[in-house]
Amino acid sequence: MRWARAGIIAAIVVLTATANAQDRPAEPEGYRDDNYRSPVPATLAGARVLTTEQAEEIWRSKSGVFIDVLPRPPKPANLPAGTVWRDRPRLNIPGSVWLPDTGYGALAPSTEDYLRNGLVRASAGDPTRLLVIYCQADCWMSWNAAKRARSYGYSNVAWYPEGTDGWQNADLPLVVSEPEPRPVEEGVPTR
């Protein structure tokens, strides 16, 4: 009787997971380059996909480096002279490295260099170091960046698709973050 009940529960869990995965889009061959805030795949080839509980375990054990790729809103070009511009604070998983604008489908060479160099610094040059890449829930930017990290030769990439939304919903701590400095290049777009 106990085994039958356990079997039924296991079947329900499998069917629910399968149904949820079917509601998700398939992985594209390349990078997603539009509609970044929309449902994401349930998988990412070559990477682990983390739940909030799994991400929290990695964070608490300090066994991986957390990389946020959420874009940073640019200062509007048409602000009147003397207008004070204040960036909107980014609340982040404590200890994260924020590499904004690195999750777009196509990156300018300067932004791709920024991502590559940021990953090298974050991993201390170890391509086997666990990288946990995220932004917000249903955001393709983290999927793109995790896929790109795999293409750079990082072998231990985890994608946390719920990002700061899932983290906040679990009442886990968030802190104000500053982006990693980026080389200033006059006239070169960041994307």
Side-chain angles (χ1 to χ4, degrees), residues 65-69 92-93 95-99 118 122 134 177 180:
V65 179
F66 283 69
I67 310 288
D68 179 16
V69 298
N92 229 323
I93 297 170
S96 294
V97 174
W98 183 19
L99 300 172
Y134 71 95
S177 181
E180 284 297 301

Side-chain angles (χ1 to χ4, degrees), residues 25-108:
E27 287 188 44
E29 284 186 37
Y31 300 105
R32 177 71 173 249
D33 61 7
D34 63 359
N35 298 320
Y36 294 108
R37 287 306 302 267
S38 61
V40 293
T43 59
L44 174 56
R48 290 188 317 186
V49 179
L50 302 177
T51 63
T52 297
E53 294 77 22
Q54 292 166 327
E56 179 186 8
E57 183 179 315
I58 292 166
W59 178 73
R60 289 198 186 280
S61 68
K62 299 180 180 2
S63 58
V65 179
F66 283 69
I67 310 288
D68 179 16
V69 298
L70 187 75
R72 183 178 194 184
K75 179 179 178 179
N78 60 350
L79 284 179
T83 301
V84 175
W85 168 256
R86 293 190 186 170
D87 282 325
R88 185 174 167 208
R90 170 68 174 144
L91 294 178
N92 229 323
I93 297 170
S96 294
V97 174
W98 183 19
L99 300 172
D101 307 317
T102 58
Y104 289 102
L107 298 180

Side-chain angles (χ1 to χ4, degrees), residues 100-189:
D101 307 317
T102 58
Y104 289 102
L107 298 180
S110 61
T111 304
E112 189 150 8
D113 287 345
Y114 173 67
L115 174 60
R116 281 182 190 271
N117 293 332
L119 293 177
V120 167
R121 280 190 307 279
S123 68
D126 180 359
T128 65
R129 179 91 193 262
L130 174 58
L131 301 177
V132 177
I133 300 178
Y134 71 95
C135 58
Q136 296 174 320
D138 285 330
C139 181
W140 280 86
M141 296 211 175
S142 58
W143 189 92
N144 283 343
K147 181 178 177 112
R148 211 169 249 120
R150 290 281 304 136
S151 77
Y152 296 162
Y154 290 90
S155 60
N156 197 3
V157 175
W159 172 48
Y160 176 37
E162 292 302 312
T164 51
D165 295 331
W167 197 262
Q168 184 173 28
N169 288 341
D171 289 325
L172 293 166
L174 292 168
V175 296
V176 174
S177 181
E178 289 295 322
E180 284 297 301
R182 158 188 338 236
V184 178
E185 294 183 16
E186 202 66 34
V188 177

Side-chain angles (χ1 to χ4, degrees), residues 11-22:
I12 290 170
V13 168
V14 168
L15 289 174
T16 302
T18 303
N20 288 341
Q22 290 174 349

